Amino acid sequence: MIKLTIIQCDEYANYKLIDKDGNKYDLNINFMGIEKPKVGTEIYIHESVIDENVSLNYGLVDQENKPKDDELIVISYEGKQLYLQRFYG
């Protein structure tokens, strides 16, 4: 997983993120069932997902149907971590 930090976001779920080396990424991520992450939130995501160039949809993990590792992201803010799974539309 790659660690990215949100540096900008808009009302359309477009996020500008930056990694530890200063590389910037533009992703469209819809967060379902949770409050929209704010600037400064860290996101741990698989690099292969970043390269897909599609709108991403993530929500709370379904404990009954364990997702595969590449379908998970972790958001970290205010000392808390939240695991989310990818939902396909």
Side-chain angles (χ1 to χ4, degrees):
M1 288 187 140
I2 184 173
K3 176 183 167 185
L4 303 173
T5 303
I6 298 172
I7 56 173
Q8 187 179 359
C9 58
D10 67 19
E11 67 273 14
Y12 302 109
N14 295 309
Y15 289 87
K16 291 193 184 294
L17 305 122
I18 192 167
D19 67 14
K20 64 179 176 58
D21 298 322
N23 298 312
K24 294 182 180 176
Y25 303 87
D26 292 316
L27 297 176
N28 182 272
I29 309 173
N30 296 295
F31 292 95
M32 303 179 304
I34 65 165
E35 187 176 320
K36 183 177 169 181
K38 297 177 176 43
V39 170
T41 299
E42 296 171 344
I43 298 177
Y44 296 84
I45 189 167
H46 284 271
E47 200 163 356
S48 62
V49 174
I50 294 170
D51 297 333
E52 289 183 26
N53 199 25
V54 297
S55 181
L56 303 167
N57 300 291
Y58 286 93
L60 298 173
V61 173
D62 179 1
Q63 294 298 329
E64 292 180 17
N65 299 315
K66 300 281 185 192
K68 294 184 263 181
D69 283 346
D70 63 345
E71 295 178 340
L72 290 173
I73 65 169
V74 180
I75 59 173
S76 180
Y77 59 98
E78 298 174 0
K80 299 181 236 174
Q81 288 189 332
L82 185 60
Y83 288 79
L84 303 173
Q85 77 181 54
R86 187 171 181 182
F87 292 105
Y88 297 87

